[in-house]
């Protein structure tokens, strides 16, 4: 897996951890220099003022991402981490593939 050099950012809709509503958040994924680690932070908006959370992704451990097959949530994927599985929804197929590829998943077409 080639190391990324630039941050990837954009809006994703995030499922609640247990109960509640899905929320639109601005995600920033920053690769750690000379590492397979990606730092992911998410904010209330694109101004990056109100940080709502974050986590680390280690892409050296193989694919941690898979397409979410829920027809009610098109363009969504599951990001499986040791402490939690995040379900995230992109705005379109292209955005979904971009985020999945970032996290080491296949950029397969389809929903």
């Amino acid at each position: 897996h080639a190391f990324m050099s630039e941050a990837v950012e954009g809006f994703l809709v995030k499922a609640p951890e247990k109960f509640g509503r899905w929320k639109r958040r601005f995600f920033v994924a920053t690769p750690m220099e000379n590492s397979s680690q990606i730092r992911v932070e998410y904010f209330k908006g694109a101004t990056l003022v109100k940080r709502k959370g974050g986590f680390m992704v280690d892409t050296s451990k193989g694919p941690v991402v898979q397409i979410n097959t829920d027809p009610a949530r098109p363009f969504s994927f599951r990001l499986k981490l040791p402490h939690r599985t995040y379900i995230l929804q992109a705005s379109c197929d292209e955005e979904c593939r971009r985020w999945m590829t970032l996290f080491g998943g296949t950029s397969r077409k389809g929903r």
Side-chain angles (χ1 to χ4, degrees):
H1 187 277
F3 296 130
M4 303 172 20
S5 59
E6 294 184 23
V8 174
E9 55 186 46
F11 281 101
L12 294 169
V13 181
K14 184 178 80 59
E17 187 168 5
K18 291 188 172 60
F19 303 102
R21 297 181 6 201
W22 288 61
K23 301 211 176 182
R24 185 172 184 251
R25 298 289 182 235
F26 191 79
F27 281 75
V28 179
T30 308
M32 302 291 93
E33 197 167 331
N34 299 318
S35 168
S36 60
Q37 298 272 327
I38 301 170
R39 184 180 72 234
V40 180
E41 296 176 287
Y42 52 96
F43 302 84
K44 190 164 185 171
T47 57
L48 309 183
V49 173
K50 192 164 186 181
R51 185 179 185 274
K52 300 300 282 183
F55 50 86
M56 294 294 291
V57 176
D58 186 353
T59 60
S60 72
K61 302 204 184 306
V64 294
V65 66
Q66 67 184 105
I67 198 82
N68 187 34
T69 57
D70 182 354
R73 291 283 174 183
F75 319 122
S76 63
F77 58 93
R78 294 175 180 270
L79 183 60
K80 294 181 173 226
L81 303 176
H83 65 287
R84 178 177 171 188
T85 296
Y86 287 85
I87 303 175
L88 303 167
Q89 182 179 26
S91 59
C92 65
D93 190 51
E94 182 181 343
E95 280 296 297
C96 183
R97 286 191 319 240
R98 179 172 76 115
W99 285 100
M100 286 186 67
T101 301
L102 166 72
F103 296 127
T106 59
S107 60
R108 78 170 218 219
K109 290 193 174 199
R111 291 169 187 85

